[in-house]
Amino acid sequence: MEEFRSLRESAVGYMQEIRQLLSREGETYQEYVCVLQQMEQKLSSDAFDVLIVGEFSSGKTTLINGILGKAMLPTHISPTTAVINIIRYSAQESARLIFRSAQEQMVPVDALADYITSLSETADARAREIDHVILGFPSPFCRNGVRLVDTPGLNSMHEDHERATMEYLPRGSAGIMAISALQFMSKSQREYLECFRSYMGKMFFLITMVDQMDEDDDFEENEDYFRETLAEVLQRPPDEIKLYPVNAKAAEAGACEGSGLAAFLRDFEAFLTADRLAQEMLSIPVQRVSDYVRQYIAQKQLEMNAVSVPYAEFERRVQEALPQRYAIEQEQILVRGRMSAGVLSCKSRILHHMEYAYRELVQDAAEFVQAYAGDIKQDLSGDLQRFLKKRTVAFSQTVDTYVQREYAALMSELQMASLQLNTMVQDYQKGLGIENVTELNLSDRVIITNDEATLGGIGVAGVVAAVLASVLGPIGVVAAVAASFFGLDSVRQHIIKIGRRNVLQDISAHVRRDLLAHEGSFRRRLADDLDSADAKLLQQLEDSYQEPLRAIERTLTRIRCEQQEAEQDAAWRRSALAADLSCAKQLAERLVHVTRGVAADGGR
Ligand SMILES: Nc1nc2c(ncn2[C@@H]2O[C@H](COP(=O)(O)OP(=O)(O)OP(=O)(O)O)[C@@H](O)[C@H]2O)c(=O)[nH]1
Ligand SMILES: [Mg+2]
């Protein structure tokens, strides 16, 4: 633990140093300066904030009430929690409102709904004035500096809720993501999760509302799918992902053991006492500081380059490299053309295959009826529905597999094309003499290193992300649409109406007709989905192809500006830049030791 403390002190020291360097640059790094400040505060204090995050109405507050063993905080089916609620240990229950104006006010705990929620207009208006609430509660969970933080829900129509939560993220040491089993991992949830991960070392996944799932489509049926989906977003092997299914409502009502919450509480306790905790706390901030230092170095290197090359020489290089630029643009036009044709034929193959698989499904259903051996009036409609539900899953999987395969083929073609383009872009940069310094958008998460030009990587990374995002679109819909088609009410009516003679042939023909009648609209839905996935893919392709050239353009403009300024006081600027650069490089080197220390020590 001593070693952890000294590592932590060094990390905070580095944060302060880099923050001072960045502050000198004015607005450019303002956002980073704020994040660094929050991380310093987090690491310097002994508080350990566990953030409960997730989309609105996913059961976050209900979970907290479950953990506390009392319905202390207000919950509701509509967006509720409007401010950050920090719960810390205290022998007495208490609630202190901290206003944006920094004023404070104690309120009775049972009046909280009137201050911190969006449940009424008055409460909502009051909540807008409040920055956060500090609640005292005698919960064993909050001993030893652990604070439970309930956050306003994401993705509701209240933008201020989302802002409050996002601003608080850098202070979280660990996170609990509440995901409703009824709305598992929508696209927005994936994006939020990626964002949470970049701030919090440790995340727990609590799947709420499991008590609301269908009896024959319950948590166990879906567990593998949930796990694999999360594993994919987190880029970890599925068996490393632990899910905690809970009935938060039952836990809130006091039935902790039967609710599933107890399993989470046991693991959380073990996590808090494990050595790894310290490591989790340090690794993300240290990684972030290293990123910032690298970006700063790249920026300074750029300025240094600008003041080192004579203006005429620089313009000559730009002119000489023009043919390379045209070649890149020509190649991009060719690739765009090939990709547009590729997505079209990919779509028609998928639809063709879907039709084939659908007909097979219809045939199977018809045969199922034909060979039916039970009591027609009593059982057939129920049995048929169950059969179709199961068979639909197989159908969805077939279509999914096909979609995946087609897009994977597209992706590998794209990768080849991107690699070729990246090489051309790198050569172009070399021609310009700016290969290691091209200025990238600072908000871009792609890391810039000073010994390796990673600009080339952006094209491929962008394209791969685009393809993956597009592939994921249609798949969920295939299953959802298929499930909604097979209510078979008309068949049920038919079974009730029909006489005994030739009855199975008749019903079988009816089933066939009924299902085939749905094929058109099913095909349309899938086609629409593929269209929008394709449009997105092509748009993202366009964006990721344009970005490198735009980045180069920005660099050139910047170099020109720097050169004009530099002409005036060249000697002084050079020495100031050299000093900034050497300071940042030393910081980067020392940081490597902390990073190694964190990895090796594990905080013991
Ligand atoms: N049956 C059941 N209901 C739940 C469960 N979890 C939450 N609920 C209910 O779902 C609704 C929303 O729960 P909240 O705890 O307010 O959700 P939240 O995520 O805090 O919502 P916001 O504060 O708006 O972000 C409430 O009516 C809860 O009673 C659960 O596991 N099972
Ligand atoms: Mg809430």
Side-chain angles (χ1 to χ4, degrees), residues 486-513:
F486 303 131
L488 287 181
D489 269 346
S490 74
V491 174
R492 197 171 302 130
Q493 303 291 335
H494 195 74
I495 295 170
I496 294 164
K497 261 196 299 184
I498 218 152
R500 279 226 158 250
R501 210 164 53 81
N502 285 339
V503 77
L504 286 175
Q505 271 106 318
D506 273 10
I507 298 175
S508 163
H510 196 89
V511 166
R512 190 188 286 271
R513 264 202 312 278

Short mmCIF file of all heavy atoms in Angstrom, two decimals, residues 486-513:
data_model
loop_
_atom_site.label_atom_id
_atom_site.label_comp_id
_atom_site.label_asym_id
_atom_site.label_seq_id
_atom_site.Cartn_x
_atom_site.Cartn_y
_atom_site.Cartn_z
N PHE A 486 -45.10 -13.56 -36.14
CA PHE A 486 -45.70 -14.88 -35.98
C PHE A 486 -46.69 -14.97 -34.85
O PHE A 486 -46.71 -15.91 -34.09
CB PHE A 486 -44.59 -15.94 -35.85
CG PHE A 486 -43.67 -15.90 -37.04
CD1 PHE A 486 -42.31 -15.87 -36.89
CD2 PHE A 486 -44.20 -15.85 -38.33
CE1 PHE A 486 -41.47 -15.81 -37.99
CE2 PHE A 486 -43.37 -15.78 -39.43
CZ PHE A 486 -42.01 -15.76 -39.27
N GLY A 487 -47.54 -13.97 -34.74
CA GLY A 487 -48.62 -14.04 -33.77
C GLY A 487 -49.65 -15.07 -34.23
O GLY A 487 -50.28 -15.76 -33.42
N LEU A 488 -49.83 -15.17 -35.54
CA LEU A 488 -50.69 -16.18 -36.12
C LEU A 488 -52.13 -16.16 -35.62
O LEU A 488 -52.76 -17.20 -35.50
CB LEU A 488 -50.10 -17.58 -35.89
CG LEU A 488 -48.88 -17.89 -36.72
CD1 LEU A 488 -48.40 -19.28 -36.42
CD2 LEU A 488 -49.12 -17.71 -38.20
N ASP A 489 -52.64 -14.98 -35.39
CA ASP A 489 -54.02 -14.90 -34.93
C ASP A 489 -54.99 -15.45 -35.95
O ASP A 489 -55.95 -16.14 -35.61
CB ASP A 489 -54.38 -13.44 -34.61
CG ASP A 489 -54.09 -13.15 -33.16
OD1 ASP A 489 -53.89 -14.13 -32.42
OD2 ASP A 489 -54.03 -11.97 -32.79
N SER A 490 -54.70 -15.14 -37.23
CA SER A 490 -55.64 -15.59 -38.25
C SER A 490 -55.65 -17.11 -38.32
O SER A 490 -56.69 -17.74 -38.54
CB SER A 490 -55.29 -14.99 -39.60
OG SER A 490 -54.16 -15.63 -40.10
N VAL A 491 -54.48 -17.73 -38.10
CA VAL A 491 -54.43 -19.20 -38.13
C VAL A 491 -55.23 -19.76 -36.95
O VAL A 491 -55.97 -20.74 -37.09
CB VAL A 491 -52.97 -19.70 -38.07
CG1 VAL A 491 -52.92 -21.21 -37.95
CG2 VAL A 491 -52.23 -19.24 -39.31
N ARG A 492 -55.09 -19.09 -35.82
CA ARG A 492 -55.83 -19.56 -34.64
C ARG A 492 -57.33 -19.53 -34.94
O ARG A 492 -58.05 -20.50 -34.68
CB ARG A 492 -55.49 -18.68 -33.44
CG ARG A 492 -55.88 -19.33 -32.13
CD ARG A 492 -55.35 -18.56 -30.94
NE ARG A 492 -53.90 -18.40 -30.97
CZ ARG A 492 -53.28 -17.23 -30.81
NH1 ARG A 492 -53.97 -16.14 -30.60
NH2 ARG A 492 -51.98 -17.17 -30.84
N GLN A 493 -57.78 -18.45 -35.55
CA GLN A 493 -59.20 -18.34 -35.91
C GLN A 493 -59.58 -19.49 -36.85
O GLN A 493 -60.61 -20.12 -36.70
CB GLN A 493 -59.47 -17.03 -36.69
CG GLN A 493 -59.09 -15.77 -35.96
CD GLN A 493 -59.97 -15.51 -34.78
OE1 GLN A 493 -61.10 -15.97 -34.75
NE2 GLN A 493 -59.46 -14.82 -33.77
N HIS A 494 -58.69 -19.74 -37.80
CA HIS A 494 -58.94 -20.77 -38.80
C HIS A 494 -59.09 -22.14 -38.15
O HIS A 494 -59.98 -22.91 -38.49
CB HIS A 494 -57.78 -20.77 -39.79
CG HIS A 494 -58.07 -21.51 -41.04
ND1 HIS A 494 -58.89 -21.01 -42.01
CD2 HIS A 494 -57.67 -22.73 -41.46
CE1 HIS A 494 -58.96 -21.87 -43.00
NE2 HIS A 494 -58.23 -22.93 -42.69
N ILE A 495 -58.21 -22.41 -37.19
CA ILE A 495 -58.26 -23.72 -36.51
C ILE A 495 -59.58 -23.86 -35.78
O ILE A 495 -60.21 -24.93 -35.78
CB ILE A 495 -57.08 -23.84 -35.51
CG1 ILE A 495 -55.77 -23.85 -36.28
CG2 ILE A 495 -57.21 -25.12 -34.68
CD1 ILE A 495 -54.54 -23.72 -35.41
N ILE A 496 -60.05 -22.78 -35.18
CA ILE A 496 -61.30 -22.85 -34.43
C ILE A 496 -62.48 -23.09 -35.38
O ILE A 496 -63.36 -23.90 -35.13
CB ILE A 496 -61.52 -21.54 -33.62
CG1 ILE A 496 -60.43 -21.44 -32.55
CG2 ILE A 496 -62.89 -21.49 -32.98
CD1 ILE A 496 -60.27 -20.09 -31.93
N LYS A 497 -62.41 -22.42 -36.56
CA LYS A 497 -63.54 -22.48 -37.50
C LYS A 497 -63.65 -23.81 -38.24
O LYS A 497 -64.73 -24.30 -38.51
CB LYS A 497 -63.40 -21.35 -38.53
CG LYS A 497 -64.28 -20.14 -38.17
CD LYS A 497 -64.44 -19.22 -39.34
CE LYS A 497 -63.12 -18.68 -39.78
NZ LYS A 497 -62.98 -17.75 -40.78
N ILE A 498 -62.52 -24.34 -38.59
CA ILE A 498 -62.48 -25.41 -39.61
C ILE A 498 -63.10 -26.73 -39.15
O ILE A 498 -63.10 -27.05 -37.97
CB ILE A 498 -61.01 -25.60 -40.04
CG1 ILE A 498 -60.96 -25.88 -41.52
CG2 ILE A 498 -60.34 -26.68 -39.27
CD1 ILE A 498 -59.65 -25.41 -42.09
N GLY A 499 -63.66 -27.50 -40.12
CA GLY A 499 -64.27 -28.80 -39.78
C GLY A 499 -63.21 -29.88 -39.67
O GLY A 499 -62.01 -29.58 -39.70
N ARG A 500 -63.59 -31.12 -39.51
CA ARG A 500 -62.60 -32.16 -39.25
C ARG A 500 -61.98 -32.72 -40.53
O ARG A 500 -60.85 -33.15 -40.53
CB ARG A 500 -63.24 -33.30 -38.44
CG ARG A 500 -63.31 -32.96 -37.00
CD ARG A 500 -62.83 -34.13 -36.15
NE ARG A 500 -62.42 -33.65 -34.86
CZ ARG A 500 -61.15 -33.63 -34.46
NH1 ARG A 500 -60.21 -34.07 -35.20
NH2 ARG A 500 -60.85 -33.17 -33.26
N ARG A 501 -62.76 -32.70 -41.63
CA ARG A 501 -62.30 -33.40 -42.83
C ARG A 501 -61.12 -32.64 -43.48
O ARG A 501 -61.18 -31.42 -43.62
CB ARG A 501 -63.45 -33.49 -43.83
CG ARG A 501 -63.37 -34.74 -44.72
CD ARG A 501 -64.70 -34.97 -45.40
NE ARG A 501 -65.14 -33.76 -46.10
CZ ARG A 501 -64.71 -33.40 -47.33
NH1 ARG A 501 -63.85 -34.15 -47.96
NH2 ARG A 501 -65.16 -32.31 -47.88
N ASN A 502 -60.11 -33.36 -43.83
CA ASN A 502 -58.91 -32.77 -44.47
C ASN A 502 -58.34 -31.60 -43.68
O ASN A 502 -57.71 -30.70 -44.22
CB ASN A 502 -59.25 -32.24 -45.87
CG ASN A 502 -59.39 -33.37 -46.84
OD1 ASN A 502 -58.88 -34.46 -46.58
ND2 ASN A 502 -60.10 -33.14 -47.91
N VAL A 503 -58.61 -31.63 -42.40
CA VAL A 503 -58.33 -30.44 -41.62
C VAL A 503 -56.85 -30.02 -41.63
O VAL A 503 -56.53 -28.85 -41.78
CB VAL A 503 -58.90 -30.61 -40.20
CG1 VAL A 503 -58.01 -31.50 -39.37
CG2 VAL A 503 -59.12 -29.29 -39.55
N LEU A 504 -55.94 -31.00 -41.52
CA LEU A 504 -54.53 -30.62 -41.42
C LEU A 504 -54.02 -30.00 -42.73
O LEU A 504 -53.29 -29.02 -42.70
CB LEU A 504 -53.68 -31.83 -41.01
CG LEU A 504 -53.85 -32.20 -39.54
CD1 LEU A 504 -53.10 -33.48 -39.22
CD2 LEU A 504 -53.36 -31.07 -38.63
N GLN A 505 -54.48 -30.61 -43.89
CA GLN A 505 -54.06 -30.00 -45.16
C GLN A 505 -54.53 -28.55 -45.23
O GLN A 505 -53.81 -27.66 -45.65
CB GLN A 505 -54.65 -30.72 -46.37
CG GLN A 505 -53.80 -31.85 -46.88
CD GLN A 505 -54.45 -33.17 -46.48
OE1 GLN A 505 -54.94 -33.28 -45.34
NE2 GLN A 505 -54.46 -34.12 -47.38
N ASP A 506 -55.78 -28.33 -44.82
CA ASP A 506 -56.33 -26.98 -44.91
C ASP A 506 -55.55 -26.00 -44.05
O ASP A 506 -55.20 -24.91 -44.48
CB ASP A 506 -57.79 -26.96 -44.42
CG ASP A 506 -58.70 -27.29 -45.56
OD1 ASP A 506 -58.16 -27.71 -46.60
OD2 ASP A 506 -59.92 -27.12 -45.40
N ILE A 507 -55.31 -26.42 -42.82
CA ILE A 507 -54.60 -25.49 -41.92
C ILE A 507 -53.19 -25.25 -42.42
O ILE A 507 -52.69 -24.13 -42.42
CB ILE A 507 -54.59 -26.03 -40.47
CG1 ILE A 507 -56.02 -26.14 -39.96
CG2 ILE A 507 -53.79 -25.11 -39.54
CD1 ILE A 507 -56.15 -26.77 -38.60
N SER A 508 -52.57 -26.35 -42.89
CA SER A 508 -51.21 -26.23 -43.39
C SER A 508 -51.16 -25.22 -44.55
O SER A 508 -50.27 -24.37 -44.61
CB SER A 508 -50.74 -27.62 -43.81
OG SER A 508 -49.64 -27.52 -44.63
N ALA A 509 -52.15 -25.31 -45.46
CA ALA A 509 -52.18 -24.38 -46.59
C ALA A 509 -52.38 -22.95 -46.09
O ALA A 509 -51.78 -22.00 -46.58
CB ALA A 509 -53.31 -24.76 -47.56
N HIS A 510 -53.21 -22.85 -45.07
CA HIS A 510 -53.48 -21.52 -44.52
C HIS A 510 -52.22 -20.91 -43.89
O HIS A 510 -51.92 -19.73 -44.08
CB HIS A 510 -54.58 -21.65 -43.46
CG HIS A 510 -55.19 -20.33 -43.12
ND1 HIS A 510 -56.28 -19.82 -43.80
CD2 HIS A 510 -54.86 -19.41 -42.19
CE1 HIS A 510 -56.57 -18.64 -43.30
NE2 HIS A 510 -55.73 -18.37 -42.31
N VAL A 511 -51.51 -21.75 -43.15
CA VAL A 511 -50.26 -21.29 -42.52
C VAL A 511 -49.30 -20.80 -43.60
O VAL A 511 -48.70 -19.73 -43.49
CB VAL A 511 -49.60 -22.43 -41.72
CG1 VAL A 511 -48.17 -22.10 -41.34
CG2 VAL A 511 -50.43 -22.72 -40.47
N ARG A 512 -49.21 -21.61 -44.67
CA ARG A 512 -48.29 -21.27 -45.76
C ARG A 512 -48.66 -19.90 -46.36
O ARG A 512 -47.81 -19.02 -46.52
CB ARG A 512 -48.37 -22.36 -46.83
CG ARG A 512 -47.31 -22.26 -47.90
CD ARG A 512 -47.60 -23.24 -48.99
NE ARG A 512 -47.32 -24.62 -48.60
CZ ARG A 512 -46.12 -25.18 -48.76
NH1 ARG A 512 -45.14 -24.50 -49.27
NH2 ARG A 512 -45.93 -26.43 -48.40
N ARG A 513 -49.96 -19.75 -46.62
CA ARG A 513 -50.41 -18.49 -47.21
C ARG A 513 -50.12 -17.31 -46.27
O ARG A 513 -49.63 -16.26 -46.66
CB ARG A 513 -51.92 -18.54 -47.48
CG ARG A 513 -52.26 -18.92 -48.91
CD ARG A 513 -53.67 -18.47 -49.27
NE ARG A 513 -54.67 -18.81 -48.28
CZ ARG A 513 -55.26 -20.00 -48.18
NH1 ARG A 513 -54.92 -20.97 -49.01
NH2 ARG A 513 -56.18 -20.23 -47.26
#
